[in-house]
Amino acid sequence: MKQVLQSYFKGSTSQHISSINISLQLAKTVAMGQGLAGLICGTAITSQYLAADFHVNTPMLQSFLNYALLCVTYTSMLLCRTGDANIFQILRSRGWKYLLLGLVDVEANYAVVKAYQYTTLTSIQLLDCFVIPVLMILSWCVLKTRYRPVHYVAVCICLLGVGAMVGADLLAGRDQGSTSNILLGDGLVLVSATLYAVSNVCQEYTVKNLSRVEFLGMVGLFGTIISTIQMSYILSIGDWGLGIGTV
């Protein structure tokens, strides 16, 4: 009887500790997600403020700074590694994949920052939710993730919201006589959301199967190279009288 009670309490204690660990992990995930959301919100407000009040439109330059910091931090770490985790081995085996991923990520960032020139901050933040249904489709096909019916209901609500937001922008633009510019901004956000979904699926696959440092290091490397080339091209064909205002 004593042994039965001991095993019962031992099992109950283990289950209790396990549930506490799961709760702490969930709380940590939620806290990190909210922190990330706050940082993204700060970036969005800053971009809108620069475009609206100072007429400083630098989508490519803003992206370049992000990738340059990633390159300095994580690409340097890959250079210090040995064996298969070394940057040269990674470039030799799967470098072209990271090149394509870097291109997708750069254009996603460029499109969403560029959209601030044409539409409002509210529209951009709401339309950016279009990434959710695209992400679910890609996760289903690539990562073999399966969802519950409630997820599909949420996606339908998301798509209804996207349609309502585009309709509201059309009506607002019609009143202001600038429908084409607002539609261009909304279109850029939807393109950016689609590209972000591709990048996020690749990120999840890489982080789970390879490493976080490899993903950030390679995206930082190719993102820096691609954004530098694109920024140089824009400057070469742009109006030099505007300085960097259109980069």
Side-chain angles (χ1 to χ4, degrees):
M1 184 65 179
K2 183 178 180 180
Q3 292 179 346
V4 172
L5 289 174
Q6 287 178 343
S7 62
Y8 171 77
F9 285 113
K10 184 177 180 180
S12 300
T13 303
S14 301
Q15 291 178 355
H16 182 64
I17 294 174
S18 178
S19 63
I20 291 176
N21 290 333
I22 293 174
S23 299
L24 290 175
Q25 184 65 31
L26 179 60
K28 180 181 177 181
T29 302
V30 172
M32 291 175 66
Q34 292 304 307
L36 179 60
L39 293 174
I40 293 174
C41 181
T43 302
I45 293 173
T46 304
S47 298
Q48 179 70 27
Y49 190 65
L50 288 172
D53 293 359
F54 294 98
H55 304 288
V56 176
N57 303 310
T58 57
M60 204 68 260
L61 180 61
Q62 289 175 245
S63 297
F64 168 78
L65 294 175
N66 292 332
Y67 293 117
L69 289 173
L70 286 177
C71 185
V72 169
T73 304
Y74 290 99
T75 308
S76 301
M77 294 172 65
L78 292 177
L79 283 170
C80 298
R81 289 184 170 184
T82 57
D84 293 337
N86 182 264
I87 186 171
F88 299 108
Q89 293 294 332
I90 295 173
L91 287 172
R92 189 176 294 112
S93 60
R94 48 188 176 272
W96 66 273
K97 296 179 182 178
Y98 285 114
L99 173 61
L100 295 177
L101 177 57
L103 180 62
V104 168
D105 204 71
V106 168
E107 299 310 322
N109 284 314
Y110 176 79
V112 73
V113 179
K114 187 73 174 175
Y116 287 101
Q117 300 177 31
Y118 305 107
T119 189
T120 63
L121 174 62
T122 305
S123 296
I124 290 174
Q125 292 302 301
L126 291 176
L127 290 175
D128 201 38
C129 294
F130 184 67
V131 70
I132 297 173
V134 180
L135 191 61
M136 286 183 65
I137 294 172
L138 292 176
S139 296
W140 176 284
C141 299
V142 178
L143 302 178
K144 308 302 180 184
T145 306
R146 296 297 177 260
Y147 299 98
R148 296 180 179 178
V150 66
H151 294 118
Y152 297 108
V153 173
V155 167
C156 291
I157 295 174
C158 175
L159 291 175
L160 289 174
V162 169
M165 198 68 233
V166 173
D169 280 348
L170 275 173
L171 294 175
R174 188 175 300 161
D175 294 337
Q176 300 171 8
S178 58
T179 306
S180 60
N181 284 344
I182 290 179
L183 277 180
L184 175 59
D186 291 349
L188 286 171
V189 178
L190 295 177
V191 169
S192 173
T194 303
L195 294 176
Y196 271 134
V198 175
S199 177
N200 289 341
V201 169
C202 295
Q203 176 181 348
E204 180 178 349
Y205 178 85
T206 305
V207 169
K208 287 183 176 179
N209 294 279
L210 297 171
S211 74
R212 172 178 55 88
V213 174
E214 178 178 327
F215 175 82
L216 294 174
M218 298 307 293
V219 169
L221 174 63
F222 286 110
T224 302
I225 295 171
I226 294 170
S227 58
T228 300
I229 295 172
Q230 188 167 335
M231 186 166 56
S232 301
Y233 175 73
I234 294 173
L235 281 174
S236 67
I237 65 172
D239 184 358
W240 284 91
L242 295 177
I244 63 170
T246 57
V247 177

